[in-house]
Amino acid sequence: MTRYLLCFGALLLALSARAQLTIDITTTGGRQIPVAILPLAGETSQPQSVSEVVGADLARTGLFRLVNAVGVSPLPTEPSEVNFVDWQTRTAEALVIGKIDNLPDGRVEVRFRLFDVQKQAQLASYSYVVPPAQLRATAHRIADVIYERLTGDKGVFSTKITYVVKRGTRFELQVSDADGFNPQSVLASNEPILSPTWSPDGSRLAYVSFDQKKPIVVVQNLAQGTTKIVANFRGNNSAPAWSPDGKHLAVALSKDDITQVYRISANGGEAQRLTETNAIDTQPAFSPDGQWIAFTSDRGGTPQVYRMPASGGAAQRLTFEGTYNVGPRYSPDGKAIAFVQRENGRFRIALLELATGQVTALTEGTLDDSPSFAPNGKMILYEAQAGGRGQLAAVSSDGRVKQRLTSSAGDVRDPAWGPLPTN
């Protein structure tokens, strides 16, 4: 058995030797907001172009159209220097300007302003003092501000995603930026790694490990690189899901001879059984308010999505279309559930509106799996298949925008989108 634990905060990798995810927008939908992202004055002397990252972040949402800024000289850095009539002629509705100054202590100051071109009004103005190595992260923060001011929704460009990469017989649990850059391996093993899921504060990952030649549930602290086995009961220990307060996990255990849903402390300990059936109950997911647990059960004869109180009790069936609906995941606002639906032999990601019971198919793949909502609820990350290999893909919650995240790293599977950063 070979297993490597890596401290996420101190990990130093030769990223040039690591394949990163490349995001391609395959489908856009609806009206796109035309926005001009001007190069920041002084950024050509920096190790990272901030404006390019901001533009790429906004463009890949499918909600924005980048307006050509060629020929603008000198670059405006103050409101008084902006020719709003020119940008109106270029059809821009929003404009971003800024500059980067080197500071005596080696850090840089990044300043940007966002304008409503039609109203000739400033919408946002921010300044960040950071080391040059953090320019890419700063660009994501800027894109988050722009996205929120122009759409009214939180941006998720500063978030992380996790996924499992399989190369031959080797498995790696990786964490990367939401745009696929800066991939880092937080765990490597010759045994399978399954079902990674983020703690609500983003500091820990729970996952299923086979290092003991059976499935057990492990919680790993990303900053410290430490792990704790929280479920290692007789039989299978699988499908961890965090409670919203981060204190508990819902898990699927077969310790009583048939797989049922249990609740356990995130530090381990005794497991409280929540379902009491002779059927297979698995794949639990807490609602954002912590009041409910959705799960998969075949108690009706076929696998379907059910919901029960978080403390256990009577369950309500939620899915009725088709004979195979599994893997529920709540939207961040708790109003919808994404799940995997089989239709005519194809497995696709579908969305259930809880208030109406309406189900909408979002994807058209042959073997789509493992949906995970972005923390603003606007996109769903999932596992797809292409050329016999797993790859990641994303679809907007209305099904109109589709993205493909390709990697040459190997078979990519089991994605999970991390929470919004706390700082």
Side-chain angles (χ1 to χ4, degrees), residues 351-402:
L351 189 73
L352 167 68
E353 294 183 11
L354 290 171
T356 64
Q358 179 179 345
V359 173
T360 303
L362 301 179
T363 68
E364 301 173 348
T366 58
L367 200 58
D368 299 337
D369 199 4
S370 305
S372 176
F373 276 95
N376 65 0
K378 297 302 176 181
M379 296 295 292
I380 299 171
L381 186 66
Y382 65 96
E383 175 189 336
Q385 288 283 326
R389 290 196 322 176
Q391 67 173 23
L392 304 188
V395 60
S396 60
S397 55
D398 61 6
R400 302 171 73 178
V401 178
K402 292 181 172 64

Side-chain angles (χ1 to χ4, degrees), residues 215-288:
I216 61 174
V217 176
V218 176
V219 170
Q220 180 167 338
N221 184 300
L222 291 176
Q224 300 172 4
T226 57
T227 63
K228 184 175 182 62
I229 297 173
V230 297
N232 185 16
F233 299 96
R234 182 178 69 89
N236 293 331
N237 305 262
S238 61
W242 291 91
S243 62
D245 62 6
K247 296 180 179 180
H248 295 89
L249 290 166
V251 294
L253 307 178
S254 65
K255 70 186 190 70
D256 297 321
D257 298 326
I258 190 166
T259 300
Q260 297 282 279
V261 176
Y262 293 76
R263 178 187 176 106
I264 193 169
S265 168
N267 293 317
E270 293 300 315
Q272 174 192 1
R273 186 166 172 173
L274 300 181
T275 57
E276 297 280 352
T277 70
N278 293 320
I280 294 176
D281 298 333
T282 186
Q283 297 178 319
F286 278 93
S287 62

Side-chain angles (χ1 to χ4, degrees), residues 2-17:
T2 304
R3 186 170 187 260
Y4 303 94
L5 268 181
L6 300 155
C7 178
F8 179 65
L11 190 63
L12 297 178
L13 290 174
L15 292 180
S16 60

